[in-house]
Amino acid sequence: MKILQTPTFNKQVKKLHKNQKSDLDEAVECVVNNPVIGDQKKGDLAGVLVYKFKMVGQLTLLAYQFDDNANQLTLLVLGSHENFYRDLKK
């Protein structure tokens, strides 16, 4: 499976500490193993899935898109719930 990252996602990952990155790696691995594990969004965010997981005890959301035909996973945004969906719409 091909995994792509948006520039926004890359910026957010660069700000993380090592222990946070290990939690993120586990979450990405869960998504890769089961791409439909996230909640499917509707309306403006149709086609986007959001996976919720704990990063160092704090709830974190990971937005991604999965293209089954191309077997491609695109990691869009990472962050806490505060302003997450507003930022995702941009």
Side-chain angles (χ1 to χ4, degrees):
M1 176 182 296
K2 188 173 183 181
I3 301 174
L4 303 175
Q5 298 177 353
T6 61
T8 305
F9 183 81
N10 267 339
K11 286 180 188 176
Q12 293 165 333
V13 170
K14 286 181 181 179
K15 295 177 184 177
L16 299 177
H17 298 285
K18 282 186 179 183
N19 58 344
Q20 292 173 313
K21 285 183 182 179
S22 65
D23 288 344
L24 174 61
D25 289 343
E26 289 176 19
V28 170
E29 192 172 314
C30 286
V31 170
V32 168
N33 291 336
N34 184 7
V36 294
I37 197 170
D39 298 329
Q40 181 74 41
K41 296 300 162 188
K42 299 174 184 167
D44 292 347
L45 300 175
V48 175
L49 293 106
V50 175
Y51 177 63
K52 297 178 182 181
F53 67 100
K54 294 277 186 175
M55 181 186 291
V56 192
Q58 183 179 7
L59 182 67
T60 306
L61 284 71
L62 171 64
Y64 64 96
Q65 290 178 320
F66 178 66
D67 184 358
D68 200 18
N69 297 332
N71 201 23
Q72 177 176 303
L73 183 73
T74 306
L75 303 173
L76 302 173
V77 181
L78 172 75
S80 64
H81 195 279
E82 183 180 354
N83 301 326
F84 180 80
Y85 293 103
R86 182 199 67 194
D87 296 342
L88 183 56
K89 286 182 183 180
K90 290 182 182 177

